[in-house]
Amino acid sequence: MDYYNKVIESVKVRFIKGTNYRVEKPLSIQDFSDKENTLILLHQGTMKFGENQELVNEGEVLFIPGGHKTSLTLGGGSKRNQIKMDKFRDVKKKHLQSLSFFDIRNTEDDCISMMNFESKVFDVVNFFNSLSIPAFTIRFNDRIGTIIEDLMKEQEQNSVGKERSLSCQSEVLVIEILRHILKNQLFVEELSTNSTYFKDPRLIDLFNYIKTELGGDLSNKVLARVANVSEDYVGQYFKMLTGINPQDYIEYQRMEAAVDLLRTTKKSIRDIGKEVGYKDTAYFCRRFKMMYGVPAGKMRRRESLINV
């Protein structure tokens, strides 16, 4: 249990989006998937998924981990379109009509709430995807359904603290999903097999060191010393466990720190670049624009306008 507590403390959760839909025309998506985790709460009507078209009951939640593909049927009846995911993106509006959460109670049509969220360990590893958990139905858990409903309601509000509320409720949602999995002893083999690398103290030491030393020397030579492995092996070791090269991860963390400083301080772009580890301001600006598509100065101006 202590292990999972440590994992949860390391998971960064971010609410992406949520939409309520009325099913206008029944359809089956043969390979439904999204890069982020997807939760679908069935309010009323018919929903099936998987190779065997397992039925989801009203009030239950379908969980599809990010990157996982599954067959998804929305709406009842024998006449429904069979389409691929790439085609679904083009015809989505013909089949699903968005509506307010509060309008759901006023219709007898098939209705769902669909939300996406990100859950990354150490800002890099998609937690649920890394566990190789398949799509599954969350049954007999009113708590999770209620949290999804609260998120849908909150998203439609324009109240003080909206973003903070969405963030906090999303974190609770991830905790409840993990509790549900453990309590019902789901995917025992997957959890024991695919979560072992989170226990590696050397990897945790690396993440913690990078986080505290963003402005310093984070060469592979230094990382190798922190992880107590050879300099030739540290890159392979890091990528094997996380799926990303250490220097790519470091640059991402440095740029995210730079964005935060642009938003929250009046420091010069030159000073921000140095603070996050770039001695050459011109190089920092080139890399920043390449990653975010806009110059650092323009992003600062845009943030200032947003916060006026």
Side-chain angles (χ1 to χ4, degrees), residues 1-190:
M1 196 60 66
D2 287 342
Y3 158 63
Y4 287 110
N5 284 331
K6 291 180 180 178
V7 170
I8 284 296
E9 290 173 3
S10 303
V11 173
K12 182 177 180 181
V13 181
R14 186 166 66 95
F15 177 85
I16 305 296
K17 62 181 178 180
T19 310
N20 305 297
Y21 293 110
R22 179 175 61 245
V23 181
E24 295 280 317
K25 296 180 180 179
L27 77 161
S28 288
I29 308 160
Q30 299 172 21
D31 55 347
F32 180 89
S33 66
D34 198 295
K35 65 177 182 178
E36 310 298 351
N37 304 297
T38 302
L39 286 167
I40 307 176
L41 169 61
L42 177 64
H43 295 285
Q44 55 202 35
T46 301
M47 180 165 67
K48 300 177 183 178
F49 77 100
E51 184 177 346
N52 297 321
Q53 287 293 275
E54 180 181 334
L55 182 68
V56 180
N57 297 312
E58 293 181 357
E60 294 180 342
V61 177
L62 174 61
F63 177 43
I64 308 174
H68 182 85
K69 293 182 179 181
T70 188
S71 173
L72 177 64
T73 297
L74 299 173
S78 58
K79 293 183 179 180
R80 56 176 177 267
N81 285 355
Q82 302 273 347
I83 57 177
K84 292 279 190 178
M85 188 64 191
D86 55 356
K87 179 67 174 178
F88 171 63
R89 295 188 178 96
D90 297 330
V91 301
K92 184 176 181 178
K93 291 183 179 180
K94 294 181 180 179
H95 292 272
L96 301 179
Q97 179 65 48
S98 61
L99 73 166
S100 164
F101 179 82
F102 298 99
D103 288 335
I104 292 174
R105 68 190 67 177
N106 298 321
T107 179
E108 296 181 356
D109 297 329
D110 291 26
C111 290
I112 60 171
S113 289
M114 182 182 294
M115 67 161 286
N116 296 98
F117 69 94
E118 181 181 86
S119 56
K120 290 188 175 180
V121 182
F122 307 116
D123 292 334
V124 64
V125 181
N126 185 320
F127 177 57
F128 292 107
N129 180 274
S130 69
L131 298 177
S132 295
I133 292 176
F136 70 100
T137 306
I138 299 175
R139 305 185 190 278
F140 311 112
N141 195 318
D142 293 339
R143 171 74 169 144
I144 291 177
T146 299
I147 295 173
I148 294 173
E149 289 182 348
D150 288 343
L151 283 163
M152 295 298 107
K153 295 174 187 175
E154 186 68 44
Q155 188 181 225
E156 294 179 2
Q157 304 290 329
N158 192 22
S159 304
V160 172
K162 173 181 174 179
E163 296 303 321
R164 182 66 182 273
S165 178
L166 289 172
S167 176
C168 291
Q169 290 186 74
S170 297
E171 289 185 358
V172 173
L173 179 62
V174 170
I175 292 171
E176 291 297 332
I177 293 172
L178 183 56
R179 284 178 176 176
H180 180 86
I181 290 171
L182 295 175
K183 179 181 178 180
N184 293 280
Q185 296 186 321
L186 304 174
F187 317 116
V188 175
E189 184 177 345
E190 287 89 343

Side-chain angles (χ1 to χ4, degrees), residues 9 23 38 126 154 203 211 230 243 251 267 276 279 299:
E9 290 173 3
V23 181
T38 302
N126 185 320
E154 186 68 44
L203 183 62
K211 184 177 181 179
S230 71
E251 181 171 50
K267 294 179 180 180
V276 298
K279 296 179 180 178
M299 177 174 282

Side-chain angles (χ1 to χ4, degrees), residues 194-221:
N194 299 317
S195 66
T196 53
Y197 65 85
F198 290 126
K199 300 178 182 178
D200 193 326
R202 296 175 298 175
L203 183 62
I204 295 174
D205 287 344
L206 277 175
F207 281 121
N208 288 334
Y209 186 84
I210 291 170
K211 184 177 181 179
T212 58
E213 300 293 333
L214 274 181
D217 182 3
L218 293 175
S219 63
N220 279 6
K221 182 178 181 179

Side-chain angles (χ1 to χ4, degrees), residues 257-273 275 284 288 292 294-308:
V259 169
D260 186 61
L261 289 170
L262 284 167
R263 289 172 172 170
T264 60
T265 74
K266 294 183 179 180
K267 294 179 180 180
S268 68
I269 292 175
R270 179 181 180 182
D271 288 343
I272 289 175
E275 188 168 333
F284 165 67
F288 190 97
Y292 295 106
V294 295
K298 187 173 182 179
M299 177 174 282
R300 165 171 275 170
R301 290 192 295 274
R302 185 175 65 184
E303 290 296 324
S304 297
L305 289 171
I306 291 173
N307 293 320
V308 168

